[in-house]
Amino acid sequence: MKINAQIAAVEATAARGRVLSFLDTLNSAGIECMVIKGLATAMVLYPHPALRLLPDVDILVRPPDLPRLVAHMRDAGFRTAHVPGAERKWGALTVSSFAPVTPPDGDFLIDVHQAVDDPPASNGVPADEIFAGSRLVDVDGVGLRVPGVDHMFALLVLNAFRDLYEPRGLKSLFDATLALANAPPDMAVLGDMARRGAFVRRAAFFRELCLELGVGDVSALVPDCRLGPLGRQLLRRTVDNMKSFTLMRFPDTLKLAFEMALYDSPTTMARRNAGRLMGLVRPHSHALAGLPVEAPDP
């Protein structure tokens, strides 16, 4: 197990170097982007970036800059990657990001985001606001823009829900532990983001999950929001599963229960399920328009 982890860290380090080289070409081309999620926390929170293994790299661009980014990627030979097991029968529901893209050698995957989450959550953390509050860090001579402390933590809250609290979502809790220890966010500011983006219940669930697992003191995060009976039941099940790893992937029925309990408005869930139903007839495309699509394996 230890040897496998060391091999993975070495491979991640090499891939990270190639990613940095690509991001440097974006800087040279004047295409402003921001590194978010795993690579951002790896560079800012961890004592060594290799300790935060990355399945992919997430970058945020403002929607008006998307055509220039696509043209740059197309000229560099990027294509939309086929990721086995990622497709759903109704297609993609998200409008905030696109299917992963990969360079000609297939050495790494990049998820391009035009928002950090789907509406209404993106109303609480809009791209322009994140760019305005971002910071520039130097990584091996490459300037990377990363979210500010408060926005970075808000993304942890949202991404944990997008992972629907499966064991793969533990990475958000590790990140949160380091953030609270080294650069704690302003809980009042986070609460304001949650109210504007209608993800108060998701913030409350994250708060209780952190407290149950001993991640850190987040008791001041949306303190006026309490979980309902279904939310408390899901919290207990999540905590038990993160300790036992009984289920590595949750069934769709359980995922629907999370949506029912943690969306602030039933309208949000209704829209998502309407999208699923319409997608059964005509699956929603997730490809980044303008790039060729990789053929699935035979």
Side-chain angles (χ1 to χ4, degrees), residues 41-59:
T41 58
M43 297 303 182
V44 173
L45 298 178
Y46 286 74
H48 193 287
L51 297 176
R52 176 59 155 88
L53 301 183
L54 303 173
D56 50 32
V57 172
D58 297 84
I59 62 173

Side-chain angles (χ1 to χ4, degrees), residues 166-196:
E166 293 173 333
R168 62 194 172 106
L170 278 168
K171 57 185 182 291
S172 292
L173 296 173
F174 296 148
D175 292 348
T177 302
L178 292 172
L180 290 167
N182 299 316
D186 185 323
M187 294 298 169
V189 171
L190 283 176
D192 181 61
M193 292 181 192
R195 283 183 282 274
R196 284 189 286 133

Side-chain angles (χ1 to χ4, degrees), residues 2 68 74 82-83 116 120 128 184 196 207 253 278:
K2 181 178 179 181
R68 292 185 61 216
R74 185 174 59 245
H82 173 70
V83 182
V116 295
D128 284 340
R196 284 189 286 133
R207 178 196 69 212
T253 51
M278 291 187 290

Side-chain angles (χ1 to χ4, degrees), residues 85-86 88 163 166-168 241 246-251 254-255:
R88 306 303 297 266
D163 288 338
E166 293 173 333
R168 62 194 172 106
N241 192 63
T246 301
L247 289 176
M248 297 304 293
R249 300 301 298 266
F250 289 161
L254 185 54
K255 294 177 180 180

